[in-house]
Amino acid sequence: HKPKKEKALKMAAAEKERERCRDLNFGAVLTHCTADFDSLAAAVGLARWRDHQESSPGCTAVVMPQGANPTVQHFLALHKNFYPIQPRRNIEPQNLNFLAVVDGQRRDRFGSCAEWLDVCPKVEIYDHHVDQTSDIAGKQIIQPVGSVTTLIVEMLMKDDVKVSDKDATLLALGIHSDTGSLVYECTTERDVQALAYCLRMGASQKAIMQFSRVQLAVEQRVALNEGLLRLEVREFQRVRLGCAHVKVKEYLPGAATVARELMEVSNLNVLVLAVSYLHAGKKKASVPGAGYQHVSLIGRACVELEGVNLSSVLQGLNGGGHPKAAATTFRMDKLHLMPDEEFNRCESVEELLSGVVERVCQTQIPPVKVAAEVMTEYKHLVVADPTFTVDQALEVIRRYEFRTLPVVGPNGELFGLVSLADLEREQMNGLGGRPITSSMQRELYLANPIASVPDIEDLFVDKAVGSLPIVQGDPGQKFILGDRYPLKNTPRLLGFITRTDVLREHAFYKNVGHGSSDVSFSFFSS
């Protein structure tokens, strides 16, 4: 009789909770299905903020429509009692005076709880995916930050809402998870400030370190191994792209974690992973092969990969997310209803994966740049005449803060390079009046105009050089990157590439500058 007694006690407690809710200005905040830390943290933070606004602690519940990913489950197994989380069955939608959704703008992100949106008089949407379209009516608070938790933390800060160290820890985990611990491209200064607030409020760095690490459950490890076996890889414009279709017996929580691990261990720049299972309704559960194929499609790309926007690609499958991390879910038997006409004609998951990868290749990965596109042309270079003395060359090299200076003849023929260090050594030894040809480097690394910029970067890294002459040799002559060439036939100098040119191509910074000591191309020769 003990199980029956426990069940009766739980039912009585649930009824008592429902009665309490009826007496309050009760509200709820929904995480998206399979909640991650960002969604859960934002929901808990918003519940705390609303309780403060209503001056009624406990008047706002957090509901997870369809569980959480394994790492969040682990966290909640130890922390759940600290947060206002209620099971769906304890909530009577007709009693809700307020309903908010976080980290999503479409109804299908909130499972069966989306029905509550139709009966609640006040609905609010909080999200940070600004490029998505919403099918939910209500007040929208959507801003371009790295984590939706950041929006909620800013509200807590503005209204001076006190949060516990457990709340602060969860909020910090939310920011860490969606900004990649502040290294993802979507990270903003606001995310950094929000995370700093969490630390001031007592967030546990030890807990953050523990729960921000990837922890694969058994079923996730099985899926990862299956993904490695089924992975198809192609290289396009020096970008490694992979796709894999993993079939599982039932819904796989934390498929995004599997995708991240698969991408890392396979050394990919772009990954499109499909995880599918046969979904059988209650009426068809006893019929072998009945039901439909449910597909979760997850796209991931390296943050440094310029131009790739997986969110825009997956919008053709009613998906979305971030440019470098996007996803969608759909029924394979409903694929023909998707807005993208090329994708909706696919007859298999494998064909769809190939189509998505091909779309990324053809529309989002630019051709590899070559030396001729990024070099500073000869006509814009400051160069030294072979008749210059050491003192004259030093005057030029110091005036423009160069480290090296090409020595070029009247017809553009390259005689060699002189360096600041060599010239200063000559001058210190009292040899400033000597011609620079006596201290000139005559055996150089050289490149043709068609040498790729990534290969040039490899040369800079492997050989520890900071500049490279781009030359035209005899007809048909090619220069192999990484080999030194004695300048016997004085090839014609076409341009010059420095490490600053390569750095500029990465677009790490808004302005690399033109006056550093690395740069020997910023000024016109007189």
Side-chain angles (χ1 to χ4, degrees):
H1 297 290
K2 188 176 180 181
K4 291 184 178 180
K5 184 177 181 180
E6 290 179 350
K7 184 176 180 180
L9 289 172
K10 288 182 179 180
M11 292 178 63
E15 181 58 33
K16 185 176 180 180
E17 178 65 21
R18 284 192 286 268
E19 290 177 1
R20 185 183 73 84
C21 293
R22 281 191 284 267
D23 296 332
L24 295 171
N25 183 19
F26 188 61
V29 185
L30 299 178
T31 71
H32 58 62
C33 294
T34 317
D36 56 15
F37 274 121
D38 192 30
S39 183
L40 178 62
V44 169
L46 185 56
R48 300 295 195 210
W49 177 83
R50 183 173 182 270
D51 285 0
H52 176 81
Q53 295 296 107
E54 298 292 332
S55 300
S56 179
C59 74
T60 313
V62 172
V63 178
M64 298 185 293
Q66 193 174 307
N69 71 38
T71 307
V72 175
Q73 288 177 13
H74 183 186
F75 178 84
L76 288 178
L78 303 176
H79 295 79
K80 188 173 183 179
N81 290 342
F82 295 117
Y83 307 118
I85 299 173
Q86 290 287 339
R88 181 185 184 280
R89 63 178 179 273
N90 282 6
I91 307 298
E92 292 184 354
Q94 63 271 22
N95 291 334
L96 291 174
N97 294 305
F98 169 86
L99 181 63
V101 297
V102 294
D103 207 19
Q105 304 170 41
R106 299 189 63 84
R107 297 172 67 95
D108 57 10
R109 292 275 282 168
F110 303 98
S112 59
C113 289
E115 300 172 355
W116 299 359
L117 298 164
D118 301 324
V119 297
C120 185
K122 184 178 182 181
V123 174
E124 294 182 356
I125 303 104
Y126 293 82
D127 197 16
H128 62 131
H129 302 108
V130 296
D131 59 345
Q132 291 189 7
T133 57
S134 177
D135 61 0
I136 300 174
K139 180 182 178 182
Q140 295 188 352
I141 301 90
I142 302 170
Q143 298 178 19
V145 289
S147 162
V148 69
T149 302
T150 294
L151 301 180
I152 308 304
V153 168
E154 289 175 340
M155 294 163 59
L156 295 169
M157 293 169 61
K158 180 181 178 181
D159 292 335
D160 195 27
V161 180
K162 303 301 180 185
V163 296
S164 69
D165 55 349
K166 285 82 174 176
D167 290 343
T169 298
L170 177 57
L171 294 168
L173 281 167
I175 297 170
H176 272 283
S177 68
D178 255 37
T179 64
S181 294
L182 304 181
V183 302
Y184 289 169
E185 189 177 22
C186 61
T187 304
T188 68
E189 182 182 348
R190 293 166 63 184
D191 298 296
V192 178
Q193 292 172 345
L195 184 57
Y197 166 82
C198 296
L199 295 179
R200 290 197 301 272
M201 294 297 103
S204 168
Q205 287 288 74
K206 188 174 182 180
I208 292 169
M209 182 178 67
Q210 171 71 26
F211 291 102
S212 61
R213 292 184 303 197
V214 174
Q215 301 176 35
L216 294 182
V218 174
E219 61 270 21
Q220 290 175 309
R221 290 197 294 269
V222 171
L224 175 60
N225 291 334
E226 185 74 10
L228 288 168
L229 290 174
R230 295 180 175 273
L231 185 65
E232 295 183 5
V233 179
R234 66 176 291 190
E235 187 164 315
F236 183 81
Q237 301 291 356
R238 293 180 65 98
V239 175
R240 279 175 54 85
L241 304 98
C243 62
H245 177 201
V246 175
K247 298 179 180 179
V248 294
K249 293 182 179 179
E250 57 186 0
Y251 176 76
L252 177 69
T257 304
V258 175
R260 183 171 62 182
E261 286 293 289
L262 180 57
M263 182 174 171
E264 184 174 333
V265 300
S266 303
N267 193 28
L268 296 172
N269 303 113
V270 178
L271 171 68
V272 184
L273 174 67
V275 179
S276 73
Y277 66 96
L278 187 64
H279 186 285
K282 294 181 179 180
K283 295 181 180 180
K284 299 180 179 180
S286 60
V287 182
Y292 59 85
Q293 188 177 19
H294 181 279
V295 181
S296 295
L297 198 66
I298 302 157
R300 292 292 184 269
C302 294
V303 295
E304 66 271 16
L305 198 56
E306 197 72 21
V308 171
N309 187 334
L310 297 175
S311 177
S312 68
V313 175
L314 294 190
Q315 281 178 4
L317 295 168
N318 286 336
H322 301 284
K324 304 298 187 290
T328 186
T329 59
F330 55 89
R331 292 171 51 157
M332 197 61 192
D333 62 335
K334 302 290 185 181
L335 182 63
H336 65 282
L337 300 177
M338 291 296 177
D340 191 291
E341 294 183 359
E342 186 175 333
F343 291 159
N344 66 26
R345 290 196 299 266
C346 294
E347 297 182 357
S348 67
V349 175
E350 288 76 13
E351 184 182 356
L352 178 60
L353 287 173
S354 297
V356 171
V357 170
E358 185 65 22
R359 177 75 59 82
V360 173
C361 289
Q362 298 303 324
T363 65
Q364 298 190 341
I365 299 178
V368 174
K369 287 191 175 182
V370 297
E373 297 178 89
V374 302
M375 71 181 186
T376 300
E377 295 181 18
Y378 169 68
K379 64 182 180 181
H380 296 311
L381 290 172
V382 175
V383 299
D385 189 274
T387 62
F388 275 18
T389 65
V390 168
D391 288 339
Q392 287 175 318
L394 264 177
E395 181 185 352
V396 174
I397 210 168
R398 286 170 174 165
R399 184 193 312 167
Y400 296 120
E401 299 182 327
F402 295 163
R403 287 186 177 179
T404 58
L405 197 63
V407 181
V408 183
N411 297 316
E413 60 271 31
L414 178 65
F415 285 91
L417 295 177
V418 289
S419 70
L420 174 63
D422 289 341
L423 293 174
E424 287 181 334
R425 190 181 304 112
E426 292 277 90
Q427 192 179 63
M428 288 176 63
N429 291 331
L431 303 175
R434 294 178 61 179
I436 57 173
T437 51
S438 63
S439 57
M440 184 174 64
Q441 301 172 28
R442 299 174 182 269
E443 191 171 290
L444 307 174
Y445 295 108
L446 303 172
N448 291 106
I450 59 172
S452 76
V453 173
D455 286 340
I456 292 172
E457 180 176 354
D458 291 341
L459 173 69
F460 285 177
V461 172
D462 296 339
K463 304 297 183 180
V465 296
S467 58
L468 183 68
I470 308 302
V471 299
Q472 178 180 320
D474 296 331
Q477 184 179 12
K478 293 184 178 180
F479 297 98
I480 301 173
L481 279 177
D483 291 350
R484 286 180 178 269
Y485 291 89
L487 297 180
K488 296 179 180 179
N489 300 324
T490 56
R492 187 163 67 91
L493 182 64
L494 300 178
F496 213 65
I497 288 181
T498 70
R499 59 171 63 94
T500 308
D501 292 305
V502 174
L503 192 61
R504 188 178 295 109
E505 289 304 305
H506 283 291
F508 292 147
Y509 314 104
K510 292 182 179 179
N511 182 19
V512 177
H514 293 284
S516 75
S517 56
D518 283 340
V519 184
S520 57
F521 56 84
S522 309
F523 306 89
F524 290 81
S525 56
S526 58

